[in-house]
Amino acid sequence: MHPNDLAFFEEYKLMDRACPHNYKQERGVTAYIEIMKDIQEYNPPSIEHWDDDFQKLLNCRRTRNRLAHDIVSSDTAISSPDDLAFLKSFHQRLNNHTDPLYKYGLTEPLESEDNLVLETAPSPQPAQTVSYTPSYGSSYTPPPKKTFGDIAINIISGSLGCAIALLAAWGLLKLLLWLLSLLFQ
């Protein structure tokens, strides 16, 4: 693995461990991205850099997955220096409680004695200060996922609706033909 990719991968693992600690999620960065996606889909926030952070997190997760699952050459780097700088900066914002979900109001700061601060290099950019008004507070729950049963019921009810419409059309056609036969006898 290229040295840049190795540094990226190690920083990603550190951040992946920091996300569950701060947000009591088991799946780290993936859960963080899913929460951001749910919020963005149902109640887009007006937090500065939200979209940029979301896109960069998606990109970093794709890069991490390529590094973890693809056969990669040690000659060329898959990750860019900007990717590593973003991860370090974002990780620092997680530790400082200045990340997008914290600004949105989804967590309370952890007690300093319980707070796991994973060491990183200093952030290449200072954290942005943003004013916001959280709309969900800490009671956010994502919308329920559709189950196979929900999807099957939707398909069956749609099919029944079409069948009923076809039967009604067939009945109207038979009635029309009967009336026409009465008229022309």
Side-chain angles (χ1 to χ4, degrees), residues 118-137:
L118 300 170
E119 303 236 354
T120 63
S123 171
Q125 302 171 9
Q128 301 287 329
T129 304
V130 178
S131 66
Y132 69 98
T133 304
S135 56
Y136 286 132

Side-chain angles (χ1 to χ4, degrees), residues 16 20 34-35 37 46-47 53 59-60 76 100 102 135 139 153 158 161 166 172 177 183:
D16 203 41
E34 287 174 359
I35 293 169
K37 182 180 176 187
S46 58
I47 296 173
D53 283 340
N59 181 55
C60 286
T76 55
Y102 185 81
S135 56
S139 63
I153 288 172
L166 285 173
L172 286 174
L177 289 174
L183 282 173

Side-chain angles (χ1 to χ4, degrees), residues 34-150:
E34 287 174 359
I35 293 169
M36 284 184 80
K37 182 180 176 187
D38 287 342
I39 291 170
Q40 193 164 319
E41 198 170 306
Y42 295 100
N43 188 15
S46 58
I47 296 173
E48 188 177 6
H49 304 296
W50 176 281
D51 292 329
D52 189 46
D53 283 340
F54 180 67
Q55 291 304 320
K56 285 181 179 177
L57 282 172
L58 285 173
N59 181 55
C60 286
R61 185 177 61 179
R62 275 191 296 273
T63 301
R64 179 262 174 218
N65 288 344
R66 284 186 61 201
L67 291 171
H69 302 294
D70 293 352
I71 298 172
V72 293
S73 166
S74 61
D75 298 336
T76 55
I78 292 177
S79 64
S80 73
D82 289 341
D83 292 337
L84 180 58
F86 170 75
L87 279 182
K88 287 182 177 188
S89 170
F90 197 85
H91 186 186
Q92 192 65 38
R93 290 190 284 153
L94 274 172
N95 288 338
N96 294 336
H97 303 293
T98 56
D99 58 284
L101 291 184
Y102 185 81
K103 289 178 181 179
Y104 192 73
L106 293 186
T107 187
E108 296 297 320
L110 300 170
E111 297 298 321
S112 59
E113 62 191 24
D114 297 334
N115 195 356
L116 171 69
V117 176
L118 300 170
E119 303 236 354
T120 63
S123 171
Q125 302 171 9
Q128 301 287 329
T129 304
V130 178
S131 66
Y132 69 98
T133 304
S135 56
Y136 286 132
S138 59
S139 63
Y140 171 76
T141 53
K145 305 263 183 205
K146 287 197 174 199
T147 64
F148 178 76
D150 294 334

